[in-house]
């Protein structure tokens, strides 16, 4: 096994190298973020390729009783009849889901360690994404796991491509290569060996050394973290260590796993390990940072950095993940409750998927999925006979009553027809592009916000739960509708901020004589979540946000500096969509945030606050308000002497539990059109995309 350093290399190093070492260790910090982020869209694409269905549920509501939508979800009871096709789907989904969630944990830990050493994480790094947030690190001809290994230099994985795709033999081989233990990786690299496993320090005695241009490749993820750890422990001839020079007591720390948020997240998930760095004490912070690195490698490849664990037996099974690095079962069941389609609590699928599988490392879990595939237990959407041949029966359960539709929802027949229409010629190719961009837009709603979320000098934003939840919905729907892999390279250009961008449902005021005739939004604003919608007046068609507080709100509609820019000449101002509120509970969106009695909400196509956009864009035709409230109505008008537009409140609009969101949005839109002296618009029928996408709860 390669050692990361020569004897004595980490002690009595000349202090003159400290700036070189600072530059290098912060580069490693970003490399770790890139590697962890790289796995998330990759694993998610394969996860949602597994054929399955899920109901839309929520505590205490039966809006969607007897309905189900394409897309598997975590199951509390994953065992199935082994005589039926896809008998292993639930088990495979649970396993990959558990890994997918832990990769988010690893990304959080890597970001928190990075800020603790003065590195501002970049979640849109050009090593992974282009300027339009298309994912350039995956492709049919690519062979490199970023900063780790070119698979062409290996024996086992030389023919494997680094590309997104369904759950198949190629994907499992790729995933095993990513999670490969260091000992295996060292044996498997048979070409260009000198390129891998660099010795700490990397610089070869050159103070001007720049790791960003040196072509460093670590060989395995475990080796990368070992180098990271060793760099932080370098001691200099003046008695200091590198940690002393990089430690930043003001580093931004965020926590989605061990935070306490009642009632949405009432228990910390990991009782045995911290998932943030306590920055009040430098020495405690150092121990915590190293322990988080141990957690990452133990969960991933089954080996901590303190002692590289050997294979446990001749069968090649790795040691179990240490108990302290596993989540607590009670916490998972409390934090992630599940509900039936009538709103009754049922055993938690998320808790079962994670607790039942997190005792094994990722490498071992992917080997189990491979065995399920070899045993013929997996059916994916690209193999499913349902794709292009949907029927109403596919989208209903035994509880469905066709005569019970009090909310006027589209029928299962309409939704099945929409799914088939998207797959049919001659629109299939364009549908694939559109659905792919909807997926990329949802992911963009996460990564672009995380750049601010972990930047203490940036705008204050919340974690983009709506985009995170929405990305799974969009990914599953794209797979089920098209039966082919979403193209994550389809980047999405930033919207034109010199116009008032509409979103969906035909709610567009850009044609003053015939408002509301467009059927859907530009793909650029398919997913403008609360965090990623940083421009006033550019919001989503969904639920509502409180009209005061947060974002860049300011008493009377905000300052000139944050108002919408003057639209392009000839393009009318205004809008009338409602927005989506964010519910932190379970990482879902949909329910207006609990607020004091009398609070009103804003329709954010005219939203007065930057950062208050909607999730679930385009809005599902089945979306319903789960609570009642009152919406403020705004018209964007020119700000005197500002050269920009600001919202002016002109009325209110009540909405009730059970109202269809599209109907309330249209009423708001109509009120704005009337206020601007335009003709009364005509409500458009939902298009196929809005029928195909499921509602959020």
């Amino acid at each position: 096994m390669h050692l990361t350093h020569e004897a004595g290399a980490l002690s009595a190093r000349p202090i003159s190298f400290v700036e070189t070492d600072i530059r290098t260790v912060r580069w490693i910090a970003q490399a770790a973020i890139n590697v962890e982020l790289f796995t998330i869209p990759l694993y998610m694409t394969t996860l949602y390729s597994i054929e399955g269905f899920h109901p839309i549920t929520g505590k205490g509501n039966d809006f969607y009783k007897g309905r189900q939508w394409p897309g598997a979800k975590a199951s509390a009871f994953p065992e199935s009849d082994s005589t039926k096709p896809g008998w292993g789907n639930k088990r495979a989904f649970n396993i990959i889901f558990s890994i997918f969630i832990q990769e988010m944990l690893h990304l959080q830990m890597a970001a928190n360690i990075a800020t603790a050493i003065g590195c501002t994480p970049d979640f849109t790094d050009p090593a992974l994404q282009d300027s339009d947030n298309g994912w350039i690190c995956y492709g049919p001809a690519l062979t490199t796991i970023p900063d780790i290994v070119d698979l062409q230099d290996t024996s086992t994985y030389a023919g494997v491509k680094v590309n997104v795709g369904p759950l198949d033999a190629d994907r499992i081989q790729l995933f095993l290569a990513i999670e490969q233990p260091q000992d295996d990786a060292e044996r498997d690299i048979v070409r260009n060996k000198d390129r891998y496993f660099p010795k700490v320090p990397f610089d070869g005695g050159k103070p001007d050394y720049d790791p960003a241009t040196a072509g460093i490749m670590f060989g395995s993820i475990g080796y990368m973290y070992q180098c990271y750890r060793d760099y932080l422990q370098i001691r200099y001839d003046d008695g200091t260590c590198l940690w002393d020079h990089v430690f930043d007591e003001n580093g931004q720390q965020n926590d989605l796993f061990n935070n306490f948020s009642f009632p949405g997240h009432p228990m910390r998930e990991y009782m045995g390990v911290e998932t943030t760095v306590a920055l009040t004490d430098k020495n405690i912070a150092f121990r915590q940072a190293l322990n988080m690195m141990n957690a990452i490698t133990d969960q991933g490849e089954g080996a901590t950095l303190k002692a590289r664990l050997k294979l446990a037996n001749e069968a090649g099974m790795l040691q179990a993940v240490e108990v302290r690095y596993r989540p607590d079962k009670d916490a998972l069941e409390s934090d992630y409750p599940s509900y039936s389609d009538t709103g009754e609590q049922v055993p938690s699928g998320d808790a079962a998927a994670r607790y039942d599988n997190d005792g094994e490392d990722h490498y071992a879990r992917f080997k189990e999925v491979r065995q399920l595939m070899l045993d013929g237990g997996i059916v994916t959407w690209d193999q499913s006979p349902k794709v292009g041949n949907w029927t109403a029966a596919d989208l209903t359960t035994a509880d469905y009553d066709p005569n019970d539709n009090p909310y006027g929802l589209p029928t299962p027949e309409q939704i099945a027809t929409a799914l088939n229409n998207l797959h049919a010629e001659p629109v299939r190719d364009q549908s694939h592009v559109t659905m792919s961009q909807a997926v990329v837009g949802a992911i963009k709603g996460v990564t672009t916000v995380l750049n601010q979320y972990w930047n203490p000098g940036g705008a204050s934003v919340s974690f983009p739960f709506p985009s995170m939840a929405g990305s799974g919905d969009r990914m599953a729907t794209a797979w089920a509708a098209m039966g082919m892999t979403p193209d994550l390279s389809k980047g999405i250009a930033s919207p034109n901020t010199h116009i008032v961008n509409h979103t969906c449902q035909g709610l567009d005021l850009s044609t003053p004589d015939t408002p509301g005739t467009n059927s859907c939004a530009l793909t650029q604003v398919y997913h403008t979540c609360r965090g990623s919608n940083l421009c006033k007046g550019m919001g989503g068609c969904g639920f509502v946000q409180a009209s005061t507080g947060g974002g860049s709100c300011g008493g009377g509609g905000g300052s000139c500096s944050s108002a919408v820019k003057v639209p392009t000449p000839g393009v009318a101002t205004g809008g009338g969509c409602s927005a989506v509120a964010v519910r932190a509970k379970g990482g879902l969106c949909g329910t207006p945030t609990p607020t004091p009695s009398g609070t009103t909400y804003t329709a954010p196509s005219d939203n007065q606050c930057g950062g208050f956009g909607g999730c679930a864009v385009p809005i599902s035709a089945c979306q319903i308000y789960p609570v009642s409230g009152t919406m403020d109505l705004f018209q964007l008008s020119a700000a005197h002497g500002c050269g920009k537009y600001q919202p002016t409140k002109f009325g209110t609009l009540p909405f009730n539990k059970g109202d269809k969101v599209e109907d309330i949005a249209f009423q708001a839109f109509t009120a704005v059109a009337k206020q601007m002296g335009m003709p009364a618009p005509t409500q458009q029928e939902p298009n196929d995309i809005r029928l195909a996408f499921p509602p959020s709860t």
Side-chain angles (χ1 to χ4, degrees), residues 244-315:
D244 297 323
H245 296 276
V246 297
F247 177 67
D248 182 358
E249 64 182 9
N250 297 311
Q252 178 69 35
Q253 297 292 298
N254 293 310
D255 195 358
L256 305 174
F257 292 87
N258 278 353
N259 68 308
F260 174 82
S261 176
F262 185 81
H265 196 272
M267 294 182 68
R268 58 179 290 157
E269 298 174 33
Y270 292 87
M271 302 297 183
V273 63
E274 298 300 326
T275 56
T276 57
V277 180
L279 300 177
T280 54
D281 185 293
K282 181 172 63 175
N283 294 325
I284 293 174
F286 184 53
R287 293 197 299 270
Q288 289 176 334
L290 299 189
N291 197 30
M292 285 196 284
M293 292 183 192
N294 278 336
I296 291 170
T297 59
D298 197 26
Q299 291 173 350
E301 60 171 275
T304 64
L305 301 181
K306 292 187 218 175
R308 310 300 301 180
L309 299 180
K310 299 295 184 180
L311 296 182
N313 53 49
E314 293 181 358

Side-chain angles (χ1 to χ4, degrees), residues 326-625:
R326 304 182 199 177
D328 180 84
K329 185 177 182 180
D330 288 346
L332 294 179
E333 290 177 345
S334 299
D335 293 339
Y336 302 101
S338 294
Y339 300 95
S340 70
D341 61 357
T342 57
E344 301 298 321
Q345 188 165 349
V346 296
S348 171
D350 284 19
R354 294 176 57 189
Y355 183 78
D356 292 350
N357 293 293
D358 282 0
E360 288 189 304
D361 58 82
H362 296 183
Y363 188 73
R365 279 180 252 179
F366 278 131
K367 290 174 73 174
E368 184 177 347
V369 174
R370 181 176 64 183
Q371 190 60 52
L372 287 171
M373 294 171 56
L374 292 174
D375 293 341
I378 308 299
V379 174
T380 50
W381 286 117
D382 57 311
Q383 304 167 328
S384 174
K386 296 182 186 299
V387 175
N389 300 291
W390 290 98
T391 67
D394 297 324
L395 305 175
T396 57
T397 69
D399 293 335
Y400 180 66
D401 181 353
N403 298 313
D404 183 19
N405 189 10
Y407 308 109
L409 298 176
T411 65
E413 287 81 4
Q414 288 177 289
I415 296 172
T417 298
L419 288 166
N420 292 333
N421 288 345
L422 290 168
H423 185 265
E425 297 291 358
V427 301
R428 184 183 303 173
D429 289 345
Q430 183 56 51
S431 294
H432 184 244
V433 171
T434 301
M435 300 295 272
S436 296
Q437 287 188 304
V439 173
V440 172
I443 300 172
K444 177 179 178 178
V446 179
T447 57
T448 54
V449 179
L450 293 185
N451 281 341
Q452 292 184 292
Y453 189 57
W454 258 284
N455 183 356
S460 175
V461 297
S462 301
F463 182 81
F465 284 111
S467 290
M468 182 62 74
S471 61
D473 282 343
R474 278 149 183 71
M475 185 76 80
T477 303
W479 267 115
M482 306 312 304
M484 63 181 80
T485 308
D487 186 350
L488 301 192
S489 71
K490 296 294 185 184
I492 299 177
S494 297
N496 183 353
T497 58
H498 290 271
I499 64 173
V500 179
N501 294 279
H502 74 291
T503 49
C504 201
Q505 303 174 213
L507 308 186
D508 177 24
L509 288 169
S510 63
T511 52
D513 295 332
T514 55
T517 55
N518 288 350
S519 64
C520 207
L522 300 171
T523 54
Q524 290 95 318
V525 286
Y526 265 141
H527 200 97
T528 48
C529 158
R530 175 170 69 172
S532 55
N533 174 41
L534 299 177
C535 301
K536 292 186 178 184
M538 189 184 75
C541 300
F543 287 116
V544 290
Q545 285 291 346
S547 59
T548 57
S552 56
C553 284
S559 64
C560 286
S561 62
S562 59
V564 177
K565 296 178 181 179
V566 174
T568 301
V571 178
T573 65
C577 297
S578 58
V580 177
V582 176
R583 172 165 67 98
K585 180 179 175 64
L588 299 175
C589 64
T591 305
T593 305
T595 51
S597 177
T599 296
T600 54
Y601 301 89
T602 179
S605 191
D606 296 320
N607 62 317
Q608 65 171 337
C609 307
F612 267 10
C615 109
V617 179
I619 186 67
S620 169
C622 290
Q623 194 69 65
I624 294 172
Y625 279 110

